[in-house]
Amino acid sequence: METILQQYSQYLMVSNFSEMTRVAYLGDLEQFFTFAASRRGLKMGDLELSQIDPVAVRAFVHDLMVGGIGKRSVARKLSSIRSFFKYAIHENLVTDSPVQLIKAPKNTPTLPRFLFREHVDKLMESGTSHGHEGETSPKNEFVLWREQVILELLYGSGLRVSELVSLNFGHIDLTNKLLRIFGKGRKERIIPLTDFAARAIRIYLEKRELMKMPHAEPTAALLLSLRGRRLTTQSVRRILNNCEQKAQLNQHIYPHMLRHTYATHLLDGGADLRCVQELLGHKNLSSTQIYTHLTKERLRQTYMNAHPRAKLPD
């Protein structure tokens, strides 16, 4: 089984799945195969794919639910197992998928978290705030303008954090203010770059030159650490935490929250749903429609709070 998982891991890498997705898939599969093996009194390494049947999958789902695992997490684990067996069938390792007829538990949809415009303004202003006087060294200026680029691209262009850290110089057209993005499944899309983002990138590159960072080759990373290495998704999250503290928003800010905010503010401003779908790189329109529910909920809350006869008196 370990050999098969190693082969599947290589398949995910060459299929351009993100590192985060690959690790999540493999973790889910190891958990499932360990469970399936234990039901037969085996170790995972001794389990054969032919020994896995729908009963084992249903038992795994039941065990997760009883253990308090949320429906969304259970659905993700099932998706990991389903994807693996699709690969196994393609490689002639099995003839049928034990997950084929098993449905994921229905999940109650939750509205994504987003920021109000006044909070976005405070966050953006925090990016290049110098804090204490005298902190104007090349290193500090580089860090501050890198923060600003991150904020402008996550909110101004709605990038996923994986898309952000994957950006190379060759993907950016500052003249025409366009970004070439490779999203999930390496699907390519061209999206606008805001004036604010273009300005932030230009200044950041000037500060980067003063730091004597690696030359800006087309394949070189846009966002670098102080050691001259491509930023990781974990680094971006830490940077956002720092920005949130400077802005004093008193709420946790994470990369996808700015993507949610981007979509919500576009629709609030009258953008077409199909246009927003294209900008976000969503395969299905249903993934984008959740933001229409979000704006409707905001409208309802505003009405309930503002209209004198919206609610009965206590």
Side-chain angles (χ1 to χ4, degrees), residues 205-259:
L205 293 179
E206 293 172 4
K207 306 303 180 184
R208 176 172 158 164
E209 284 293 321
L210 295 176
M211 292 287 291
K212 302 188 186 304
M213 291 288 188
H215 293 296
E217 300 294 335
T219 55
L222 171 67
L223 296 171
L224 295 181
S225 69
L226 288 170
R227 295 183 178 182
R229 299 172 183 170
R230 184 185 294 271
L231 276 190
T232 65
T233 57
Q234 291 83 357
S235 296
V236 172
R237 290 186 173 90
R238 286 195 295 270
I239 290 169
L240 283 187
N241 287 339
N242 181 55
C243 291
E244 182 276 321
Q245 291 173 7
K246 288 196 294 183
Q248 299 181 342
L249 297 183
N250 298 318
Q251 60 176 308
H252 176 56
I253 306 298
Y254 50 92
H256 223 69
M257 188 177 186
L258 294 180
R259 180 172 160 88

Side-chain angles (χ1 to χ4, degrees), residues 252-302:
H252 176 56
I253 306 298
Y254 50 92
H256 223 69
M257 188 177 186
L258 294 180
R259 180 172 160 88
H260 293 325
T261 305
Y262 165 81
T264 303
H265 289 179
L266 279 175
L267 289 170
D268 279 349
D272 178 75
L273 188 64
R274 289 284 184 184
C275 177
V276 176
Q277 177 192 6
E278 186 69 23
L279 290 169
L280 290 172
H282 283 163
K283 182 178 180 181
N284 300 313
L285 188 62
S286 58
S287 300
T288 316
Q289 284 175 327
I290 190 170
Y291 297 108
T292 64
H293 301 321
L294 195 65
T295 53
K296 288 176 184 176
E297 177 64 16
R298 285 183 62 189
L299 183 64
R300 190 186 76 84
Q301 288 295 337
T302 301

Side-chain angles (χ1 to χ4, degrees), residues 11 27 39 47 71 84 107 142 186 192 212 249 273 281 289:
Y11 163 77
R39 293 182 74 249
L47 182 70
K71 293 180 180 179
F84 170 79
N107 187 48
F142 168 79
R186 298 295 292 172
K212 302 188 186 304
L249 297 183
L273 188 64
Q289 284 175 327

